[in-house]
């Protein structure tokens, strides 16, 4: 483990945890993202989960002056998995707030300042976390460069976070979510037996106890590489779709069995009902989109016919 050259005398406001493995080109961008924050009261914990330590240590050395003692690097001798790596990072530093900054995502410079200020104002309330809106960025890895293809709003429809809506499916990416460290004691850490969907499981447990506020500003950048053929750079939502589907069912079944064993309606009922309502919502939205398209086509056809009818009446005096 590489420790910061200057240890802070008090715990920083935020611990930023980044999991990485053999993706130096993306890790460099993640480090730049953290270093570009207008807020400076943070510690960045980089967990190298079984990857080659050389490139990580070289990046740490290259950015050492800018970090000024705010970087901690943890090398796992072997890969522990995504959620276990998150937990290693969370335990490696103390702080008031925590956030998972995946090595392939990034922030706008005001993210930490805006989210910590929001939660500071929520002291004494049930709100223990906050999410911002996100921008989806589609990109490609070309050699040692990242090329951006397009940017689009990701979840600008989110105005509130409810347990019922979260039961249908995850509503936000980890890069947009900052929360109080005390919630780890209240709901537990990330489940290390889940290779995917660990963030959704954590969000469900979080919302079962506390609330999450929404800061409707697009301050989180959620990067996707849908065309990547290199497993090392593929997003899990594209590179592990079958695994996502499997563990989605396993989590829902596990929670439903708890309800059945307890003889009550609980979170298991909610996540299964929420899934079907979410699917129904998608189908209804598709029908509405098709109807709107049909109306536009019909209007395009009728418009010249109306013009022709008006012209005919003027010419014939009818």
């Amino acid at each position: 483990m590489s420790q910061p050259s200057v240890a802070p005398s008090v715990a920083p406001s935020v611990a930023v945890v980044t999991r990485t493995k053999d993706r130096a080109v993306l890790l460099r961008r993640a480090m730049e993202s953290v270093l570009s924050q207008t807020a400076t009261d943070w510690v960045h914990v980089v967990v190298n989960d079984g990857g080659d330590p050389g490139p990580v240590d070289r990046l740490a050395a290259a950015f050492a002056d800018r970090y000024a003692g705010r970087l901690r690097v943890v090398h796992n001798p072997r890969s522990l998995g995504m959620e276990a790596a998150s937990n290693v990072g969370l335990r490696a530093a103390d702080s008031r707030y925590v956030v998972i900054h995946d090595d392939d995502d990034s922030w706008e410079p005001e993210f930490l300042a805006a989210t910590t200020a929001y939660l500071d104002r929520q002291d004494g309330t049930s709100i223990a976390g906050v999410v911002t809106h996100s921008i989806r960025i589609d990109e490609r890895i070309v050699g040692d460069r990242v090329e951006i293809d397009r940017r689009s709003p990701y979840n600008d429809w989110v105005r509130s976070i409810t347990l019922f809506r979260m039961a249908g499916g995850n509503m936000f990416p980890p890069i947009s979510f900052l929360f109080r460290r005390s919630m780890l004691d209240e709901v537990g850490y990330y489940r290390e037996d889940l290779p995917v969907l660990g963030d959704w499981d954590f969000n469900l447990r979080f919302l079962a106890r506390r609330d999450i506020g929404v800061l409707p500003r697009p301050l989180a950048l959620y990067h996707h590489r849908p065309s990547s053929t290199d497993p090392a750079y593929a997003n899990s939502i594209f590179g592990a779709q079958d695994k996502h589907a499997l563990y989605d069912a396993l989590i829902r079944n596990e929670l439903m069995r708890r309800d059945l064993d307890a003889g009550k309606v609980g979170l298991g009922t909610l996540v299964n009902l929420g899934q079907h309502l979410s699917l129904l919502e998608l189908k209804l939205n598709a029908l509405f989109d098709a109807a709107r398209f049909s109306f536009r086509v019909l209007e395009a056809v009728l418009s010249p016919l109306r013009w022709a009818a008006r012209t005919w009446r003027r010419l014939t005096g009818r």
Side-chain angles (χ1 to χ4, degrees):
M1 178 190 302
S2 302
Q3 295 292 341
S5 56
V6 180
S9 57
V10 295
S13 176
V14 185
V16 181
V17 175
T18 296
R19 313 162 292 200
T20 191
K21 182 181 179 183
D22 296 329
R23 305 205 298 186
V25 64
L26 297 179
L27 179 59
R28 173 181 287 275
R29 181 177 65 190
M31 288 177 155
E32 291 279 10
S33 167
V34 176
L35 288 166
S36 71
Q37 293 301 294
T38 57
T40 58
D41 188 14
W42 46 260
V43 61
H44 190 189
V45 182
V46 174
V47 181
N48 174 31
D49 191 35
D52 182 357
V56 178
D57 287 339
R58 285 192 288 273
L59 284 173
F63 289 123
D65 289 344
R66 292 174 62 188
Y67 271 112
R70 295 172 296 172
L71 174 66
R72 300 182 185 181
V73 176
V74 180
H75 292 296
N76 292 337
R78 59 180 180 82
S79 178
L80 302 179
M82 186 162 53
E83 306 310 338
S86 294
N87 292 338
V88 167
L90 291 169
R91 293 186 174 105
D94 194 11
S95 60
R96 185 179 188 191
Y97 303 124
V98 294
V99 58
I100 303 296
H101 187 312
D102 283 338
D103 67 351
D104 59 342
D105 291 329
S106 60
W107 287 325
E108 296 290 359
E110 300 83 14
F111 178 87
L112 285 181
T115 53
T116 55
Y118 178 95
L119 279 189
D120 285 345
R121 295 192 298 269
Q122 305 303 321
D123 276 347
T125 74
S126 65
I127 296 177
V130 59
V131 299
T132 71
H133 285 174
S134 304
I135 297 294
R136 170 172 168 157
I137 298 181
D138 286 0
E139 62 190 20
R140 292 171 289 118
I141 306 295
V142 181
D144 60 353
R145 294 179 296 105
V146 181
E147 294 190 356
I148 305 298
D149 291 325
R150 65 190 296 264
R151 297 167 60 103
S152 57
Y154 177 73
N155 60 348
D156 57 351
W157 55 271
V158 174
R159 288 295 185 271
S160 62
I161 307 292
T162 65
L163 179 55
F164 187 83
R165 181 62 182 82
M166 182 66 73
N170 216 353
M171 298 175 66
F172 52 81
I175 189 64
S176 69
F177 183 32
L178 179 130
F179 59 93
R180 300 189 192 280
R181 175 179 287 275
S182 58
M183 290 303 297
L184 296 171
D185 296 324
E186 193 165 335
V187 305
Y189 283 68
Y190 291 90
R191 278 183 56 177
E192 299 183 3
D193 62 322
L194 295 177
V196 293
L197 298 178
D199 54 337
W200 178 53
D201 169 83
F202 180 81
N203 295 340
L204 287 171
R205 288 184 280 126
F206 191 109
L207 286 166
R209 301 296 295 272
R210 302 284 179 169
D211 293 308
I212 298 173
V214 176
L215 191 57
R217 296 173 57 189
L219 300 178
L221 306 178
Y222 189 29
H223 296 257
H224 289 68
R225 290 164 301 284
S227 61
S228 177
T229 57
D230 185 344
Y233 287 103
N235 301 87
S236 65
I237 56 173
F238 300 115
Q241 292 183 13
D242 291 344
K243 187 176 291 186
H244 270 259
L246 171 62
Y247 278 88
D248 180 272
L250 293 180
I251 292 171
R252 293 182 197 276
N253 288 342
E254 176 185 299
L255 292 172
M256 191 67 188
R257 291 187 192 104
R258 288 184 193 173
D259 283 6
L260 293 172
D261 291 342
K264 66 178 184 180
V265 174
L267 190 55
T269 306
L270 194 61
V271 296
N272 285 280
L273 178 62
Q275 179 187 42
H276 287 283
L277 289 177
S278 293
L279 292 173
L280 178 61
E281 180 185 18
L282 289 174
K283 291 179 180 179
L284 287 175
N285 286 338
L287 288 174
F288 288 140
D289 288 342
R292 282 191 289 267
F293 176 76
S294 297
F295 282 128
R296 287 196 295 269
V297 171
L298 183 60
E299 179 62 25
V301 172
L302 292 177
S303 182
L305 293 177
R306 293 194 195 98
W307 178 85
R310 289 194 298 270
T311 302
W312 172 256
R313 285 195 296 269
R314 284 196 300 269
L315 291 174
T316 60
R318 297 181 182 179

